[in-house]
Amino acid sequence: MKPRITKERRNQGSRTSPIIKGKFGKRQKGLSRGPSPVILGSQESLPVAAAFTEYVHAVFEESGLEGSGVRVSGELTMSFPGGILRVFSGSTPPPVLSFRLIHTSDVEQFIPNPDLLYSDLSQSDPNCKDFWLNMQRLNTHLQNMAEQHTAPYYNVVLLKYQVFKPGMTAAPLHLSSSWNCCSTSTEFRLEYKHNLPSLCDMHVLLPLDEPLSNLQFDPPAR
C-alpha cells in the first residue's frame, strides 16, 4: 500500500508560493467576515479580500517519497462584499482591479479564469506576473450570484496554478505504512511525522473490501 496525502492549507507567503500584491488596497489574507460599507474615496480603492488555498499531493512508498518531490495545486479566490454591486452598477465605471503575483519563478502553470481574468503574456521577468479583471464580466458574474442567493460577500475563483517542490522537506507529512496479516486478525500500522508547527484535524482513509469486526485503534481515533 502506498500512503497518499492530500493536505489543504492556507498559503503563508513562502518563497516557493506566489504572493499577491494589488491595486485594490492593502494585501489581505482570508475572506470577508460580513457586509461593509462600500464607498469610493479619493484613491478609488475597493474593499476586496484575497486568499490562497493550496493542496499538497504526495505518494509515499515504504518509508520514502515516491518521485523526487511533491506537487502543489493552488487557487486564488477573491471575496467581494455584497454592497459592491451598487458601485459596479452605478453611473461611474468602477476602476479596473489589477494585481501582481511575486515569487512565481517556481510556478509551472497558471490557469486563469478565461471569462474574468487577463494576463500580460509579454512579461519577461519570471519572478512576477500581472493580472487584471474584465470589470464588465465581473459585474455580470456577481449579479448572477446575487440573483441565486443573497449573501454578505461573494467568493470568485480567479486563478489556479501548479508548483513542483523537490525533496522530502516539501511534504507537510511523512508517512510510512505496513500490514501484518494472519488467519484471525489483520494489523495495519501507520507512522507519520510532520514538518508543520502544529497539526490538527488529520484524517486517514483506509479502503477495505471485506466486513470488519472488533475494530480497535491505538491510539484512539474516531
Side-chain angles (χ1 to χ4, degrees):
M1 177 181 179
K2 298 179 181 180
R4 294 175 179 267
I5 174 174
T6 301
K7 173 68 175 176
E8 179 181 353
R9 67 181 184 185
R10 293 291 181 182
N11 183 11
Q12 299 299 318
S14 64
R15 294 287 299 182
T16 54
S17 299
I19 296 176
I20 187 171
K21 289 185 175 181
K23 298 180 180 178
F24 42 78
K26 296 174 64 177
R27 178 178 142 196
Q28 303 180 55
K29 293 187 179 74
L31 302 180
S32 172
R33 295 182 179 178
S36 58
V38 179
I39 300 175
L40 289 182
S42 58
Q43 296 183 354
E44 294 187 332
S45 60
L46 295 176
V48 301
F52 288 100
T53 302
E54 293 188 342
Y55 301 87
V56 181
H57 306 274
V59 179
F60 294 87
E61 186 171 11
E62 295 181 350
S63 60
L65 181 69
E66 183 180 74
S68 57
V70 301
R71 189 165 300 279
V72 179
S73 59
E75 63 183 28
L76 168 62
T77 301
M78 280 193 179
S79 180
F80 299 87
I84 209 169
L85 293 172
R86 297 192 300 272
V87 176
F88 285 178
S89 303
S91 58
T92 302
V96 175
L97 293 178
S98 63
F99 59 90
R100 167 174 290 182
L101 297 180
I102 62 175
H103 301 322
T104 59
S105 57
D106 293 323
V107 177
E108 294 181 323
Q109 184 180 18
F110 285 103
I111 310 175
N113 186 323
D115 295 328
L116 302 177
L117 199 63
Y118 298 130
S119 63
D120 186 358
L121 301 179
S122 63
Q123 283 183 267
S124 58
D125 186 354
N127 203 39
C128 67
K129 197 168 185 64
D130 294 326
F131 298 91
W132 64 96
L133 281 83
N134 184 318
M135 300 304 293
Q136 183 177 359
R137 291 184 178 178
L138 175 62
N139 183 29
T140 301
H141 183 73
L142 292 176
Q143 292 285 358
N144 291 336
M145 295 179 70
E147 291 175 359
Q148 295 175 9
H149 62 92
T150 302
Y153 56 87
Y154 300 97
N155 300 327
V156 180
V157 177
L158 295 179
L159 176 71
K160 296 184 178 182
Y161 59 91
Q162 291 184 349
V163 180
F164 180 78
K165 296 185 177 182
M168 283 283 291
T169 57
L173 281 175
H174 295 174
L175 303 178
S176 176
S177 64
S178 61
W179 291 86
N180 183 13
C181 302
C182 62
S183 59
T184 58
S185 64
T186 299
E187 180 182 279
F188 171 74
R189 183 181 182 90
L190 178 66
E191 298 179 353
Y192 68 90
K193 62 179 180 179
H194 58 86
N195 294 328
L196 303 173
S198 61
L199 182 66
C200 62
D201 296 332
M202 180 177 175
H203 299 269
V204 177
L205 301 180
L206 184 63
L208 299 172
D209 298 330
E210 299 181 2
L212 301 178
S213 61
N214 193 23
L215 189 62
Q216 300 179 11
F217 298 97
D218 183 21
R222 291 181 296 172

